[in-house]
Amino acid sequence: MSVQAAPPLEKRRRPPAAAFSEIVVPLLATAAFFVMWEGICRTFNVPAYLVPAPSQIWTDTVAIGPAVLGHTMATLKTVLLGFAVSIVISLPLAVLLTASPAIAGAIYPFLVWTQSIPKVALAPILVVALGSNELPRVVITVLVAFFPLVISVATGLMSVPPELLELSRACRASKWSELWRIRLPFAIPFIFAGLKVAVSLAVVGAVVAEFVNADSGLGFLIVTSTAFFKVPVAFGALIILSIMGVVLFQIVVIIERVFFPWSSANAQVAS
């Protein structure tokens, strides 16, 4: 008696229309926006110290290309460090929040308290406490980025259907097995939703910290450029920050699609 091998599962392919709407349409819309911006500046002779044209921004930013690259790498380093630390803090903290209502009631007020403090006001205090170095900037980035990640992960861990939890307890599964085999897989879409928000907020937090205390970075470049009325350079730094946020966001999206293609977010896109 021969056993026939099961046919391979059909590999899910993204329809061309989805790729067109995700890649081509945003690029065309961005190009149209910059063309319209350039046309308005040339038509109405808008002064460069108010709103420079994209061509002027490109010319002035490229003229100091090596310096801009150095500031970009400094900001990227702060963003990645703050984002990584926020992940390391958020995941176990979210698990702790879901451990019992008493622990959640004790920790939640502190989480809300950390988010209610204006980070711009906190940055000078951190500089005094931690010194004028990279650490205060990373701490500010973590404080801005970790809260939505904690809430998303905790929501995902708590959204498991009670039938699955009852089944695992009927099978005498341990708490660790319940977390590893049921709660975490069910929370994957929520975790990546939080990561997408957190990585965008990490860029914001890094720039806010650079406004207060930095000798390099795109936030520092914006402050120094506007002080000397080099507005096109400041706009160039702002555009680079936007591109950095979009690229980091898309990297998280790609990681989710490659390692967790079954998640609900990808299923909605593919449909």
Side-chain angles (χ1 to χ4, degrees), residues 48 68 72 82 88 101 143 153 159 166 178-179 222 244 257:
V68 173
T72 303
V88 172
L143 289 176
V153 177
S159 63
E166 291 175 2
E178 178 182 304
L179 172 66
I222 291 174
M244 183 186 297
R257 286 177 181 170

Side-chain angles (χ1 to χ4, degrees), residues 41-133:
C41 290
R42 290 178 180 271
T43 302
F44 297 100
N45 292 322
V46 179
Y49 62 85
L50 290 180
V51 180
S55 58
Q56 185 68 44
I57 295 172
W58 172 262
T59 302
D60 289 9
T61 304
V62 170
I64 56 170
V68 173
L69 179 61
H71 290 300
T72 303
M73 297 309 295
T75 300
L76 182 61
K77 177 185 174 184
T78 304
V79 170
L80 294 180
L81 280 175
F83 182 56
V85 174
S86 67
I87 293 174
V88 172
I89 293 175
S90 300
L91 293 182
L93 189 58
V95 173
L96 196 61
L97 281 173
T98 58
S100 74
I103 296 176
I107 295 178
Y108 258 119
F110 290 98
L111 291 177
V112 177
W113 177 68
T114 59
Q115 289 303 299
S116 61
I117 298 175
K119 305 305 180 292
V120 177
L122 182 63
I125 300 174
L126 289 177
V127 172
V128 174
L130 304 176
S132 180
N133 49 45

Side-chain angles (χ1 to χ4, degrees), residues 152-165 177-193 256 260 262-265:
S152 296
V153 177
T155 303
L157 294 176
M158 295 297 292
S159 63
V160 179
E163 295 83 4
L164 287 178
L165 298 177
S177 181
E178 178 182 304
L179 172 66
W180 184 252
R181 295 179 181 275
I182 297 178
R183 289 189 183 271
L184 277 178
F186 209 87
I188 288 297
F190 296 88
I191 293 174
F192 275 92
E256 182 184 15
F260 306 99
W262 44 266
S263 70
S264 60

